[in-house]
Amino acid sequence: MPRIVVDVMPKPEILDPQGKAIVGALPRLGFTAFSGVRQGKRFELTVDGEVTEEILEQARNAAATMLSNPVIEDVVNVEVLSEETDAPAGAAEVR
């Protein structure tokens, strides 16, 4: 069954205490190449049957109205995962 993946991130102007905690912990664990971290959310929506443009539009609407808080978050990606490899089949434009 195909899946639609929705990625949501805090808006750039919003503080990200989880990201700050992670970036502080990375050097203590030996990961010294990273100077910043922003933590977001990923949703996987399973679809019965083919992903049509109508279904993709429903996913975009759900992302904008329910899966994210538009006051503090941006929907940064909505894409279909291919069934065979679970790799992105191509990103869909996000409004």
Side-chain angles (χ1 to χ4, degrees):
M1 287 185 206
R3 288 179 288 163
I4 299 172
V5 173
V6 176
D7 295 314
V8 177
M9 294 295 294
K11 289 182 182 271
E13 62 272 15
I14 299 298
L15 294 177
D16 181 4
Q18 291 174 312
K20 190 171 183 171
I22 293 166
V23 81
L26 287 172
R28 292 191 300 272
L29 298 172
F31 302 104
T32 58
F34 309 106
S35 61
V37 173
R38 300 286 287 171
Q39 182 175 339
K41 300 185 285 190
R42 174 184 167 117
F43 299 91
E44 293 186 3
L45 308 172
T46 303
V47 177
D48 293 328
E50 181 182 349
V51 178
T52 64
E53 187 56 40
E54 181 182 341
I55 290 172
L56 204 47
E57 186 61 27
Q58 285 182 39
R60 289 185 196 110
N61 288 335
T65 60
M66 188 181 117
L67 302 179
S68 68
N69 178 344
V71 174
I72 61 169
E73 296 174 319
D74 290 324
V75 176
V76 296
N77 187 43
V78 176
E79 66 184 348
V80 179
L81 291 183
S82 71
E83 293 181 56
E84 297 82 30
T85 64
D86 280 348
E93 183 178 328
V94 177
R95 288 194 238 170

